[in-house]
Amino acid sequence: MKVSVSGRPDDPGPPSHGATPWPVGLIAAAYVAAHLPFLAPSLEDYDSINFALGLRDFNPALHQPHPPGSPVYIAPGRALLALDSIVRPSLGRPALEALTLALWSAVGGAIALLALARVFAAVAPGHAPRARSGRLLATALVAAAPLFWISGLRPMSDLPGLAAALVAQALILEGRTRRALLVAGACAAGLAAGIRVQTALLTLPLLALVLVEQRRAGWRWIASRPIAAAAIGVLIWAVPLIVVSGGIDAYLGALQVQAGEQFTWDFTVWSDPTPRRLAFALYDTFVLPWGSTALAAAVGLAAGAGVAVTLVHARRELLWLLVLFGPYLAAHLFLQEAITVRYALPALPLVAYAATRGVAATGRLAPAAAAALLAWALVVAVPVGVAYGRAPHPAFQAIDAAAAYAKTTPPSVVFAHQSLYRALQADGRMLPLVEPSRLYEWLGPVSYWRKGGTGAVWFFADPRRTDLDLIDPQARLDVVRYSWAVAARPEMSGTRPLGADWYRMPPPGWFAGEGWSLTPETGGLAQATATGPDHRSIEAWVRRREGPLHLVVGGRHLGNPGDPPAEFELALDGVVRDRWTLTFEERNFLRFVDIAGGTGGGEGPYAGLTIASRAGGGAGRGAPPVGIRQFDIQSTSRLLHGFAEGWHEEEYDVYTGRRWRWTSERAVVRVKGPPAGVRITLRGESPLRYFDAPPTVRITAAGRVIGQIRPDTDFEWSVAVPAADVARAGGSIAIETDRVYLPGAAEGTSDQRHLGLRLYECLVYPVPD
């Protein structure tokens, strides 16, 4: 791109200098004042806890904070923490750290707005009232954007990092005519990378372009000093960072662990280069930051019009904006998990500026349109900020409640999912706390029980995780769930965790090890690590007890047409209790097995249960891939149920933790237990998302209609099936619908499923007569 300093109207140079206009200062001051009453009352996201631990003992090798380390964020944070501890001495340590980091964000937001106004002035210089008001509106729209607003309350590095990058951008742009500012901007760019390393994508491309421009203008000396200044800015924080981390090897080791965690479950366009993934990334980047689809649409329409206007009348202005924000935006869309919406923060200035251009194009309507857009953004943003500041994060609510409960009824051992473990670690009151193994957290209590532990087990669970389904559901009945008022807000998407579940578990009736696919999460883990029954025997442990037992087991053939059948073998204490074969054509199985003699009399408190599979139909053939999808074992006095024919595979949203299962035209639930009626409760999505009229949904037993509805919205429906009908149907209860959605035909894909109802829950309980 050819860049000149000719001073033509469509060229950004030479930039103007001087004080920031007072209205921008007023916006920045109002931003801070509006945020102070609602600053984070606790730590929240996993990264915020890492930052807090870094305030206590800076060591990126221990993820305090996580690599690259953010030393330029932590250093002033420590100074601010010392001041906050004098002003608010009554706050506990985690709350004080949250306040400190959140205050850093609010101040960072104000600095970002001041710097952004100067960036806009450098890109689109001009002293006419229309030009000044346009720049002011763009700055105000960024301040009111829901993502920018909530970011000023959170104990995170996003806004301080953006502020540092914008300061560097402003200095570099203004340094095109003042050499000292260019050197200062280069040094600021190096320092900004010490807050968030991604800021290099906002500063270095701009610095390189300006250096090329100045060299062409005859400033031969210009490259060496800014480059040296940028290097000094990096070395100021990089050298101490490596020393504190224990040397280059220790730091690189921590960085490698961080990279491994980042890309273990990678949902980026880079890893999945499909139009669908790109569409999701665009949605996450340009819609979710505005907190409202309608608001995002209005801003998007204005921005689209603004881009068109700028292409016609100020093309170089647009090109400069793309230099400023385009490299980061491209990297974000393709290399970052866009569902973590806070990563889209640097895209807001580009969108807001384009939207302002579009609003200005409405002529006499521009003032009213601008006021409406700003008011709309604030109406969306401010209530979320107020709700955010009212109560601590659910993790710390759970910890406070547990700490009080432990004074009278202490646990024997405490476990947690990784995202909750860091919160417990930061709080420091929950002992004895066992460090979890990431992705395998349920194996902590499994190991405790296998070693003979009989005391009360506490487990602090991330509600989005599902690995606890590998533990007896009867042992997971004592649970207190803590929710967050802002958990469902688009601006908070990607936060880890969004809630907390506090389980108090007695010794369970059974628990399972690796290789079981009882949820999509554990099934994906089993497949990724090749630990399923087609690779080796999978194990569970059943508490020894007298009296008859019965179990339910279900699974799926995961192979392709032409693959051999799978031959399964289930053994208890080494004694084979059942064998069966599953072909690819059959696809799924569901079996109930009676254990008449119980599990008493063996060694140890738990009997070992194994399931293995091998290829049927001849020797020398590899075992086809299979997964065990359903399992439970209880005394015969308890009801068992399973999903039989007509059900599709359970699905799972890794970001929200939402699970669902589709029915077909007719999906059967099978029950086995003492003679009794059963209550079936369905909670599902509105069928009108897929059909133009509500379907007729029936629950039947042996052909008799027990209940019927026509749902036209999200629904919860409970039906009691009498014991006589359960017995007459042989325990098979059907859910039927007269409409099905065909995704293959509707969406042009190869999906041949017949989709009836999308059910988030299908609960089955006994109803004594």
Side-chain angles (χ1 to χ4, degrees):
M1 178 180 72
K2 183 177 180 181
V3 181
S4 71
V5 288
S6 63
R8 292 176 297 181
D10 64 348
D11 186 77
S16 60
H17 307 295
T20 301
W22 69 264
V24 176
L26 187 61
I27 291 172
Y31 181 88
V32 174
H35 280 66
L36 289 179
F38 307 107
L39 295 176
S42 72
L43 301 169
E44 29 114 327
D45 183 84
Y46 188 87
D47 287 353
S48 74
I49 296 172
N50 288 342
F51 289 132
L53 293 175
L55 291 176
R56 302 178 192 178
D57 179 18
F58 183 77
N59 190 343
L62 300 177
H63 285 223
Q64 298 178 191
H66 47 287
S70 305
V72 182
Y73 177 62
I74 294 297
R78 282 188 167 181
L80 189 57
L81 178 63
L83 179 61
D84 285 343
S85 62
I86 295 173
V87 176
R88 299 288 300 274
S90 61
L91 285 181
R93 184 163 64 174
L96 188 63
E97 291 159 344
L99 175 64
T100 297
L101 296 175
L103 186 57
W104 197 181
S105 291
V107 173
I111 294 172
L113 294 172
L114 295 170
L116 184 59
R118 299 186 74 93
V119 169
F120 287 154
V123 168
H127 299 288
R130 185 173 180 179
R132 290 200 303 267
S133 63
R135 296 193 296 264
L136 182 64
L137 173 60
T139 304
L141 186 56
V142 169
L147 176 60
F148 195 93
W149 191 271
I150 195 70
S151 296
L153 300 171
R154 302 185 67 187
M156 307 288 282
S157 66
D158 302 281
L159 257 187
L162 179 61
L166 290 173
V167 167
Q169 286 184 342
L171 291 171
I172 292 169
L173 286 170
E174 295 177 357
R176 295 168 64 222
T177 56
R178 294 176 61 181
R179 299 176 184 180
L181 291 181
L182 182 58
V183 173
C187 184
L191 288 170
I195 300 177
R196 289 187 68 81
V197 71
Q198 300 97 318
T199 61
L201 293 167
L202 295 167
T203 58
L204 296 188
L206 173 64
L207 179 62
L209 182 60
V210 169
L211 291 179
V212 169
E213 175 194 45
Q214 303 303 336
R215 186 174 178 85
R216 288 180 178 176
W219 294 8
R220 300 293 178 185
W221 65 274
I222 197 67
S224 59
R225 294 184 186 180
I227 291 173
I232 291 171
V234 171
L235 291 173
I236 286 173
W237 57 265
V239 171
L241 173 66
I242 292 173
V243 171
V244 171
S245 299
I248 188 68
D249 290 340
Y251 179 75
L252 291 177
L255 195 61
Q256 185 176 10
V257 170
Q258 173 72 9
E261 293 180 355
Q262 183 73 26
F263 296 108
T264 299
W265 301 104
D266 186 17
F267 298 94
T268 63
V269 175
W270 178 265
S271 64
D272 181 19
T274 61
R276 183 174 183 270
R277 178 61 61 187
L278 178 59
F280 277 123
L282 290 169
Y283 178 82
D284 297 337
T285 301
F286 294 109
V287 176
L288 295 187
W290 296 94
S292 159
T293 303
L295 174 60
V299 172
L301 286 173
V307 169
V309 169
T310 309
L311 278 172
V312 174
H313 298 290
R315 189 172 303 170
R316 290 186 181 278
E317 189 178 300
L318 180 60
L319 292 176
W320 274 101
L321 287 168
L322 290 176
V323 170
L324 288 163
F325 303 107
Y328 179 91
L329 184 58
H332 168 71
L333 286 172
F334 287 92
L335 299 178
Q336 295 192 127
E337 290 191 338
I339 192 66
T340 303
V341 173
R342 59 189 177 88
Y343 294 164
L345 197 61
L348 290 177
L350 180 62
V351 175
Y353 188 86
T356 300
R357 276 288 200 169
V359 168
T362 61
R364 293 182 179 181
L365 296 177
L373 206 58
L374 282 173
W376 194 353
L378 288 171
V379 165
V380 173
V382 173
V384 178
V386 172
Y388 175 86
R390 279 178 177 164
H393 184 275
F396 290 91
Q397 293 182 44
I399 292 170
D400 285 343
Y405 188 80
K407 292 178 181 179
T408 56
T409 313
S412 296
V413 63
V414 178
F415 300 97
H417 283 129
Q418 184 69 37
S419 56
L420 274 298
Y421 170 76
R422 285 301 251 183
L424 289 158
Q425 193 177 25
D427 181 83
R429 287 181 290 177
M430 299 304 299
L431 294 175
L433 179 61
V434 178
E435 183 174 0
S437 178
R438 186 174 179 271
L439 302 179
Y440 294 89
E441 289 92 338
W442 90 96
L443 290 181
V446 164
S447 176
Y448 172 77
W449 290 317
R450 289 191 64 192
K451 292 176 181 177
T454 59
V457 169
W458 287 5
F459 197 108
F460 291 84
D462 183 339
R464 293 179 295 185
R465 298 289 304 280
T466 62
D467 56 327
L468 291 187
D469 278 22
L470 275 67
I471 297 172
D472 181 6
Q474 298 299 320
R476 294 183 280 115
L477 297 178
D478 186 0
V479 56
V480 184
R481 305 188 190 277
Y482 297 86
S483 60
W484 203 13
V486 296
R489 291 298 309 170
E491 309 93 301
M492 304 300 291
S493 178
T495 301
R496 307 161 298 165
L498 285 168
D501 293 343
W502 171 30
Y503 288 91
R504 295 173 293 216
M505 294 187 283
W510 64 269
F511 49 85
E514 296 181 59
W516 294 76
S517 302
L518 302 188
T519 72
E521 177 193 356
T522 60
L525 189 61
Q527 186 175 6
T529 56
T531 54
D534 48 313
H535 294 279
R536 66 185 192 190
S537 296
I538 59 174
E539 294 181 276
W541 293 268
V542 182
R543 191 176 71 243
R544 296 196 182 279
R545 69 199 95 167
E546 301 296 335
L549 305 175
H550 59 173
L551 67 83
V552 59
V553 59
R556 183 172 176 86
H557 194 300
L558 302 174
N560 299 306
D563 281 351
E567 294 184 350
F568 289 88
E569 184 176 275
L570 183 151
L572 186 63
D573 268 343
V575 178
V576 176
R577 297 300 185 116
D578 197 16
R579 290 189 178 96
W580 66 96
T581 300
L582 178 67
T583 66
F584 172 80
E585 290 72 23
E586 292 170 327
R587 205 58 159 157
N588 300 299
F589 73 85
L590 181 72
R591 299 178 71 82
F592 292 91
V593 180
D594 289 318
I595 311 293
T599 54
E603 295 182 3
Y606 287 92
L609 182 148
T610 61
I611 298 178
S613 73
R614 62 177 182 271
R621 307 178 71 182
V626 297
I628 299 300
R629 301 298 206 222
Q630 303 180 65
F631 180 79
D632 194 7
I633 181 169
Q634 302 291 341
S635 67
T636 54
S637 62
R638 290 190 178 275
L639 179 75
L640 294 179
H641 75 277
F643 299 101
E645 61 269 21
W647 292 91
H648 295 292
E649 288 272 77
E650 186 181 28
E651 300 177 65
Y652 169 67
D653 185 331
V654 68
Y655 296 110
T656 65
R658 170 165 279 185
R659 298 161 67 178
W660 66 92
R661 190 188 296 268
W662 282 96
T663 72
S664 60
E665 297 92 334
R666 184 175 188 272
V668 175
V669 175
R670 288 188 179 159
V671 299
K672 182 176 183 295
V678 298
R679 180 173 297 278
I680 295 182
T681 299
L682 306 179
R683 188 172 64 84
E685 181 182 45
S686 171
L688 295 188
R689 288 199 61 182
Y690 310 95
F691 311 119
D692 56 7
T696 299
V697 180
R698 299 182 178 91
I699 290 182
T700 66
R704 190 172 90 84
V705 176
I706 309 299
Q708 177 176 304
I709 60 168
R710 301 190 74 229
D712 56 4
T713 185
D714 290 357
F715 65 94
E716 183 170 325
W717 182 38
S718 186
V719 175
V721 183
D725 289 300
V726 173
R728 188 162 39 249
S732 294
I733 302 163
I735 302 165
E736 301 175 355
T737 178
D738 63 356
R739 289 176 178 263
V740 293
Y741 178 69
L742 305 177
E747 302 169 12
T749 68
S750 59
D751 190 342
Q752 299 300 309
R753 293 178 300 168
H754 288 199
L755 303 179
L757 299 171
R758 187 189 187 201
L759 297 180
Y760 301 124
E761 282 186 317
C762 177
L763 304 177
V764 182
Y765 298 107
V767 179
D769 286 344

